[in-house]
Amino acid sequence: MNSILKTSLLALALATAPITAAMSADAVKVALPSKMFLNVVEFVAQEKGFYEAEDLEVEFTHIADSSIPVRTLIAGDMDIIQAGMAETLVATGRGAELKTVGGVHNGLHYAFWTRPGSGIETIADLPGKNVAISSPGSLPHVVTLALLQKEGVPQSKIDKINWVSIQGSSARINGIIVGAVDATVASYSPEVERSGDANLLKIVGPELPDYIMIPFDTTDRMIEERRDVLKRFIKAQLLATRFVLENKDETLAVAKGHFDYTDEDLDAFYKFYVDGRIWNPNGNISADAATYMQQLNVDTGLQDEVLPVEEVLDTSIVDEVIAEIGTYEK
């Protein structure tokens, strides 16, 4: 082979190498809730190269109604959803072949908001009031029912609540502000809290410590056929979460590119999520928590029976990742 031909082939190889690498990245479609500060982990994972390091091309779709992602997962339109464990458990109880495999957004990031002058001093005051949820059986609905259950409110009184369907946290909070509803579970907002237009009755997370908020849910088929992809995705998520917890300034710089918040608000959000232990840098979900979530569904009429844990939870992939990267101790 002459030197000119060798040079030409080498140039061609170098030119096509980046294209080949890009084409080799595994595509992953993920459904997320409405865009919120919670997902700064995902934004960091993309912009700081955590997905790229695992040879993944991750596409996000934000869906406000938390009951919809489960249907997209079953239909095969999504590979992974981060929507709400309660909805996935309901679908599994009805025969869908789905599993929760871990999660970094396990803590409840919700606040319970009330309308000033509504007369609501405790959760037990909700009967007879207009309470906003996303839709029947959605995450805000189940969380509100869990709070009512904890307060010991009987079903006869719960039946007197007027449930109002309003999709999206911001829309539900706005419903409070304009006086359309009396109370709702919705995301935390420093601006709303400062304004006094809605009263922050309580932070929900500490009230329901065993509640699993927004884990990674996927199909049995995904686990069987693309296990390595799932493992790399979870690894990227855990490493990005640890980065977020260790690098406040860089995290807020990323967040600033996605949200039109003041520096004061961004700092308040970060403090809320870190202090509330909303992000889980180890991605683990216990069998007890999975059972609690199912029992809650049964108690609220969303699920017929508590299924064996192995039918709803598969922690093996997270266990493998932790064995590689170690447990986050801080």
Side-chain angles (χ1 to χ4, degrees), residues 1-4 19 37 42-43 76 85 101 116 119 165 284 294 326:
M1 183 180 296
N2 62 49
S3 59
I4 295 178
I19 298 174
F37 191 84
E42 280 73 31
F43 303 144
M85 189 174 184
V101 294
S165 293
N284 56 304
Q294 291 197 82

Side-chain angles (χ1 to χ4, degrees), residues 259-274:
F259 303 102
D260 187 22
Y261 294 137
T262 64
D263 290 343
E264 181 184 9
D265 282 352
L266 288 173
D267 191 76
F269 272 119
Y270 185 87
K271 185 177 188 304
F272 176 85
Y273 280 89
V274 172

Side-chain angles (χ1 to χ4, degrees), residues 80-159:
I80 303 165
I81 61 170
Q82 297 183 66
M85 189 174 184
E87 289 94 330
T88 300
L89 288 172
V90 170
T92 302
R94 294 173 180 170
E97 296 182 341
L98 309 177
K99 290 286 191 307
T100 294
V101 294
V104 297
H105 306 310
N106 294 355
L108 275 163
H109 65 272
Y110 277 154
F112 201 93
W113 302 94
T114 61
R115 178 177 59 81
S118 65
I120 300 173
E121 300 295 333
T122 71
I123 297 296
D125 295 326
L126 293 184
K129 304 296 185 180
N130 297 321
V131 180
I133 58 174
S134 181
S135 60
S138 65
L139 189 59
H141 186 205
V142 173
V143 168
T144 304
L145 290 174
L147 291 170
L148 288 161
Q149 183 186 63
K150 183 181 179 184
E151 290 290 323
V153 179
Q155 188 61 47
S156 59
K157 288 190 176 182
I158 293 176
D159 290 340

